[in-house]
Amino acid sequence: KPSPTPAGAKDYAIDAQTGTAVKPVVPVNIPQDKDVAWGKSTVAQQAKPGAIPKSGGVSATLTFVQDGDTATFKTDKNPALNCRISGLDAPETDHTKQGGKKAQPYSEESKQTLQDLLAAGKIKVTVTQEASKDPKDPNHGRSVCKIDVEGKDITRSMLEAGAAMLYERFNKNPEDVAAQLKAATLGKGIWGLKEPPVAPWDYRRQR
């Protein structure tokens, strides 16, 4: 039963949950302009044209696939954009002619898978890291790029096919992690080889 309203009811209010009479909250007085020393307004600096990339990347045409994680594209502003696809590492191709290592198992299949995926529709390229001229650059003069074909992320597609490995050092995306785990569970691509695959980054360090 609600408690009776005390004398001077105009100074009280009824609490909707308990039914008791309580003193209302005193309204806060809003200061007038004459009572406040307002700070001087400032205008945000406008970004330089081109400083903020457009979402979705730029349209591109495939010109060459070097291996399972490298491809060259032609765009309106760059006739030869050499991209290392972000977030994955593909089996190493043959480098014996350059005095390097022989090819890893599944390197040609990985290259072919990338070529097929890139040929499947309209390509959008987003450069996430510009190419470096530093001779010690681990990307060897390639730009790091996110590639989409018909809105589908190529990194994810390659991992789903088991055609490359998640580059764990740089890619922590849980969906990409899940894509690789599913491919490995199903024995797709490199995960279906007789011998357990050697991570490309480990293979490069071997002598």
Side-chain angles (χ1 to χ4, degrees), residues 116-149:
D116 292 344
L117 289 170
L118 292 172
K122 294 181 180 179
I123 300 170
K124 293 282 188 179
V125 176
T126 302
V127 175
T128 59
Q129 182 180 324
E130 296 287 350
S132 171
K133 295 181 180 179
D134 185 346
K136 295 182 180 180
D137 174 36
N139 293 315
H140 305 288
R142 298 170 293 179
S143 297
V144 179
C145 306
K146 180 182 181 299
I147 313 294
D148 295 287
V149 174

Side-chain angles (χ1 to χ4, degrees), residues 3-67:
S3 61
T5 303
K10 65 179 181 178
D11 298 325
Y12 287 79
I14 300 298
D15 187 304
Q17 294 183 343
T18 64
T20 58
V22 295
K23 282 195 173 185
V25 177
V26 179
V28 177
N29 291 324
I30 304 299
Q32 302 301 313
D33 286 349
K34 63 184 179 62
D35 300 322
V36 179
W38 299 103
K40 185 178 179 180
S41 61
T42 57
V43 178
Q45 230 179 3
Q46 185 176 6
K48 294 180 180 180
I52 302 175
K54 294 180 179 179
S55 59
V58 297
S59 296
T61 301
L62 176 68
T63 58
F64 180 68
V65 173
Q66 181 176 325
D67 55 36

